[in-house]
Amino acid sequence: MWQFKLILVCGFLLATSPKKTLALCSNYTELLTNIFALLGQSATYQTPVNNSEFYTGYNKTEKAIDFGKFDYIIVGCGTAGGVLANRLTANKSISVLCIEAGEAAPALTAIIGLSTLYFTTPYNWGYNTTSQTNACLACKNQQCPYPRGKVEGGSSTINAGSSTINAGIYTRGNKEDYNHWASLGNAGWTYDELLPYFKKSEAAQFDVDIEPQYHGFEGPQAIDVAEDTPELTQFFIDANNELGAIERDYNGNSQYGTSRVQAYLNKNVRSGSSQAYIRPAIDRPNFHLQLNCLVTKIIIENSIAVGIEFIWNGKLYFGKAKKEVIVSAGAVNTPQLLMLSGIGPKEQLRKLGIKPIAFLPVGQYLQDHPFFPGMVFRTNRVYYNTSFQQQVNDYCENKRPFTAGFGTQCISYISLENNTNGRPDIELLTFGPPAMSPTWGGVLQYDEKYSAAFQILNPATDFMNCLLLLNPKSRGEVTLSSKDPSIYPEINPKFYSDERDLDVMYGGIERTLLLIDTEAYRQFKAEWLRIPMPGCDGEFVYFTKEWWLCVVKHLSVPGLHPIGTTRMGKSPDISVVDHELKVHGICGLRVVDASIMPTHISGHPNAAVVMIAEKASAFIIMDNKNNRPDCKK
Ligand SMILES: Cc1cc2nc3c(=O)[nH]c(=O)nc-3n(C[C@H](O)[C@H](O)[C@H](O)COP(=O)(O)OP(=O)(O)OC[C@H]3O[C@@H](n4cnc5c(N)ncnc54)[C@H](O)[C@@H]3O)c2cc1C
Ligand SMILES: *[C@@H]1O[C@H](CO)[C@@H](O)[C@H](O)[C@H]1NC(C)=O
Ligand SMILES: *[C@@H]1O[C@H](CO)[C@@H](O)[C@H](O)[C@H]1NC(C)=O
Ligand SMILES: *[C@@H]1O[C@H](CO)[C@@H](O)[C@H](O)[C@H]1NC(C)=O
Ligand SMILES: *[C@@H]1O[C@H](CO)[C@@H](O)[C@H](O)[C@H]1NC(C)=O
Ligand SMILES: *[C@@H]1O[C@H](CO)[C@@H](O)[C@H](O)[C@H]1NC(C)=O
Ligand SMILES: *[C@@H]1O[C@H](CO)[C@@H](O)[C@H](O)[C@H]1NC(C)=O
Ligand SMILES: *[C@@H]1O[C@H](CO)[C@@H](O)[C@H](O)[C@H]1NC(C)=O
């Protein structure tokens, strides 16, 4: 009986409010059944530890099968690859093969807020970092999980789901991030030159605090602000305001201040690359989306990229590109594939016995944002203390908690005093109820002793101030441990290996603690909640800098924002692609994804990746019109 009533609620809203449509909600019973089924599958699902699944039945001695010829082959139909596929196939005379290791994006990935639940899915490659010395100490073997999307739409499809900690957040970073790229010799990459591409992708649907001259309204990708948690969202904004972080649009003229979270949301449905770019183009006859294939090699003849090899259902295939091969496999798999194909650092290729094609610093200059989720507070009020069924029903009315990943409430960008480059060093991201639950340590996959510390969290009353270190000085790397494509690459972010990064993180902690004395916190009786911290309590005096640094090293995990592994620049000594994203010295080969960013941006990178792909599409379309590249195939 109650189910019948809930269906009516959703139906009623569908009919009356254009802001509250969601295809999934048209059959509430089915929606709920699907969510429970997903959670059930997840309970027994084993994340792979290598790519052997692609090779089942593979016979090494069989010849590769011809898969055909296309104008362009895009490797990875993820965040960037999806944008490219859409823009290039808009011209009916251009044929595109977009080849993807994962499967089609399932309907439930549209619910950003499902990230609040811990679950594992096949849509994640399932990497771990190597053992870290200054971070991930609370994880088994000091290795953090390093989820990457393995599904149509890539990480933009999961950047809130499947055992992850993020939230479909739309941030562009700071203007000076891009001006810095340009100052490194990358013509055409100043913020002013990039703003049209940011706008081109965007369909802003919110009006709170918006500075409209900085936003797009006609693009494919919807951006919205989830409905407030009554009173609470405003409380967070007020508290930050009191510390001088004034309320404003962080994607507008100035980034400094506090904002509600702008997210990849179309009403209550995720608007990632799958929903915004791939699905709308999928029926074009010149768009060939090929799923479940592992690309193992770029075929390069006489310094010209002519095609790819891939494994599909245990069989080896090759496909030819008449014009270009574009690698969009993300900041971990792109360097892996280039190295497997003979493009990489000399010592690594030599060590593994890979036939060298070009010596370039592939996999080097990895940067990621360390994320510190360790500052918990308790209010004296109760939020979302409702049943799961009720929360799903509220979702169908476009209400939290499931409309916001991890209960994200607001973001502040902060510049600590030592900063001189105009960019903030710290992002403060507030996760509200009910995300802060006893399972939090399990969500982050901390080792038992540390996950147990979070048992005291109360999902109805607690919230967390999380810190993201925006412009880390530490540099890591992605390397190969084998020339076998079925073996995972090694990811070593080397978090806090430059100790100045620890100082900045500590500066962020001191700044966050000032919130406790604000009028707003007092009004909400928001109090610091002490979490037992094995390995630090007893070792150091509670609340001293030494204790904090110990906690930071234990609880810091990857922000999951890897960039730089095929960075853009002029010199082949310190970069892999030029300012048009062409691989130095190779004809007909570009990289278009997060790996090309030469230095990190001051925010979550998805918007920058989409912008990069929009700009790259314009390069490629221009070269196509002018009959370039002029390498003869
Ligand atoms: C859990 C998580 C949460 C995040 N949260 C946010 C957020 O809230 N806001 C934000 O701005 N950013 C967020 N990010 C970061 C953001 O999602 C990424 O920066 C962005 O999606 C990267 O895009 P990409 O195109 O470079 O790579 P991806 O989107 O990862 O695409 C790469 C694609 O290539 C495919 N592929 C790789 N290798 C092969 C191969 N050999 N053969 C065939 N296919 C292959 C992959 O399966 C994948 O689909 C998050 C990331 C993760 C993982
Ligand atoms: C809703 O979905 C269920 C299960 O798929 C199905 O049995 C039922 O008929 C559907 N109801 C409506 C109104 O479509
Ligand atoms: C990652 O670490 C987890 C926890 O230790 C482990 O279960 C998993 O097998 C590891 N995965 C890989 C690819 O090493
Ligand atoms: C690859 O993974 C499979 C299980 O998924 C395992 O049986 C096999 O031993 C692994 N191979 C290597 C080389 O790790
Ligand atoms: C593998 O392929 C070769 C060549 O086609 C064939 O002779 C051989 O029987 C195959 N082996 C198996 C195990 O199928
Ligand atoms: C939430 O509701 C349950 C049952 O209604 C109740 O026992 C519990 O105390 C509530 N939690 C809070 C924090 O009020
Ligand atoms: C700022 O600089 C001073 C002096 O070099 C140093 O002691 C302090 O730790 C720095 N603070 C931050 C947050 O980096
Ligand atoms: C479309 O593609 C064709 C074939 O490559 C090309 O000749 C033409 O100039 C393209 N049109 C546009 C508008 O780019």
Side-chain angles (χ1 to χ4, degrees), residues 320-527:
K320 287 282 170 85
K322 287 185 261 181
K323 293 186 169 159
E324 296 189 33
V325 173
I326 304 158
V327 184
S328 300
V332 173
N333 289 28
T334 286
Q336 179 196 26
L337 182 62
L338 290 185
M339 288 188 275
L340 289 172
S341 310
I343 305 171
K346 194 184 238 167
E347 323 75 64
Q348 268 200 72
L349 300 182
R350 185 166 293 163
K351 195 178 76 191
L352 297 172
I354 296 170
K355 186 175 155 245
I357 303 257
F359 296 126
L360 292 169
V362 173
Q364 304 298 297
Y365 305 101
L366 169 67
Q367 254 186 317
D368 192 357
H369 296 136
F371 180 70
F372 178 56
M375 303 179 82
V376 193
F377 300 81
R378 178 161 290 175
T379 67
N380 68 344
R381 314 187 183 191
V382 172
Y383 300 91
Y384 307 117
N385 194 18
T386 48
S387 69
F388 186 74
Q389 281 83 346
Q390 182 60 46
Q391 292 181 3
V392 174
N393 181 55
D394 288 343
Y395 172 77
C396 288
E397 295 181 35
N398 206 21
K399 286 196 182 123
R400 287 170 181 262
F402 287 141
T403 51
F406 277 103
T408 47
Q409 291 280 348
C410 71
I411 285 181
S412 299
Y413 288 101
I414 296 157
S415 182
L416 301 171
E417 53 194 328
N418 293 8
N419 194 320
T420 52
N421 61 14
R423 296 143 75 188
D425 350 73
I426 289 284
E427 178 191 290
L428 190 155
L429 171 60
T430 305
F431 289 169
M436 289 307 108
S437 77
T439 60
W440 179 243
V443 169
L444 294 177
Q445 291 178 264
Y446 291 140
D447 212 359
E448 231 159 275
K449 158 165 92 154
Y450 295 95
S451 7
F454 291 89
Q455 292 296 326
I456 62 170
L457 296 194
N458 182 330
T461 60
D462 297 351
F463 67 94
M464 183 178 279
N465 285 313
C466 302
L467 300 176
L468 198 66
L469 181 72
L470 294 175
N471 293 291
K473 298 196 167 59
S474 306
R475 294 286 184 282
E477 58 182 9
V478 172
T479 54
L480 294 188
S481 61
S482 164
K483 66 174 179 182
D484 179 350
S486 74
I487 304 296
Y488 281 177
E490 298 201 336
I491 306 165
N492 184 359
K494 301 188 186 167
F495 287 125
Y496 307 120
S497 55
D498 187 317
E499 302 232 342
R500 288 173 294 179
D501 289 346
L502 278 171
D503 272 335
V504 177
M505 189 54 103
Y506 180 66
I509 288 169
E510 283 185 308
R511 165 68 170 58
T512 304
L513 291 173
L514 297 178
L515 285 166
I516 296 173
D517 293 323
T518 58
E519 188 53 38
Y521 268 52
R522 265 186 241 123
Q523 231 183 50
F524 270 70
K525 295 242 164 25
E527 286 174 349

Side-chain angles (χ1 to χ4, degrees), residues 114-405:
L114 276 185
S115 57
T116 311
L117 310 165
Y118 170 66
F119 57 93
T120 53
T121 68
Y123 321 127
N124 172 12
W125 287 84
Y127 299 134
N128 293 328
T129 66
T130 59
S131 291
Q132 299 295 293
T133 44
N134 280 344
C136 306
L137 301 194
C139 296
K140 197 175 261 169
N141 304 323
Q142 307 185 184
Q143 291 179 276
C144 277
Y146 209 84
R148 300 277 87 206
K150 185 200 202 173
V151 60
E152 169 205 339
S155 300
S156 78
T157 299
I158 69 152
N159 64 20
S162 56
S163 71
T164 61
I165 51 167
N166 263 310
I169 293 168
Y170 179 73
T171 58
R172 295 180 189 165
N174 194 280
K175 293 176 182 179
E176 293 310 320
D177 297 330
Y178 304 100
N179 295 339
H180 180 62
W181 294 2
S183 79
L184 297 173
N186 299 301
W189 291 86
T190 64
Y191 179 79
D192 287 347
E193 290 165 295
L194 301 177
L195 183 57
Y197 296 105
F198 280 117
K199 287 186 178 179
K200 189 178 183 196
S201 66
E202 184 184 14
Q205 305 198 335
F206 62 98
D207 43 29
V208 57
D209 294 330
I210 192 168
E211 294 175 28
Q213 65 275 34
Y214 286 89
H215 289 271
F217 299 90
E218 318 264 279
Q221 198 149 33
I223 304 297
D224 207 349
V225 172
E227 198 170 83
D228 277 10
T229 302
E231 292 186 330
L232 189 70
T233 308
Q234 192 59 48
F235 147 61
F236 291 129
I237 300 272
D238 290 346
N240 283 291
N241 267 325
E242 277 187 64
L243 292 189
I246 61 162
E247 185 177 345
R248 59 153 44 109
D249 177 356
Y250 58 54
N251 287 324
N253 182 43
S254 167
Q255 198 192 5
Y256 293 106
T258 294
S259 317
R260 286 171 177 78
V261 177
Q262 298 172 24
Y264 290 98
L265 265 185
N266 185 2
K267 281 75 172 186
N268 50 2
V269 181
R270 179 197 294 278
S271 178
S273 283
S274 164
Q275 297 84 356
Y277 286 98
I278 298 173
R279 294 299 166 100
I282 210 151
D283 292 330
R284 294 174 184 165
N286 53 332
F287 177 19
H288 193 102
L289 173 64
Q290 180 65 31
L291 302 165
N292 301 307
C293 295
L294 181 73
V295 178
T296 52
K297 193 177 181 179
I298 304 159
I299 308 169
I300 301 169
E301 294 169 357
N302 303 319
S303 298
I304 303 171
V306 296
I308 55 160
E309 276 180 14
F310 61 95
I311 298 278
W312 180 30
N313 271 333
K315 299 244 183 270
L316 182 66
Y317 293 80
F318 70 92
K320 287 282 170 85
K322 287 185 261 181
K323 293 186 169 159
E324 296 189 33
V325 173
I326 304 158
V327 184
S328 300
V332 173
N333 289 28
T334 286
Q336 179 196 26
L337 182 62
L338 290 185
M339 288 188 275
L340 289 172
S341 310
I343 305 171
K346 194 184 238 167
E347 323 75 64
Q348 268 200 72
L349 300 182
R350 185 166 293 163
K351 195 178 76 191
L352 297 172
I354 296 170
K355 186 175 155 245
I357 303 257
F359 296 126
L360 292 169
V362 173
Q364 304 298 297
Y365 305 101
L366 169 67
Q367 254 186 317
D368 192 357
H369 296 136
F371 180 70
F372 178 56
M375 303 179 82
V376 193
F377 300 81
R378 178 161 290 175
T379 67
N380 68 344
R381 314 187 183 191
V382 172
Y383 300 91
Y384 307 117
N385 194 18
T386 48
S387 69
F388 186 74
Q389 281 83 346
Q390 182 60 46
Q391 292 181 3
V392 174
N393 181 55
D394 288 343
Y395 172 77
C396 288
E397 295 181 35
N398 206 21
K399 286 196 182 123
R400 287 170 181 262
F402 287 141
T403 51

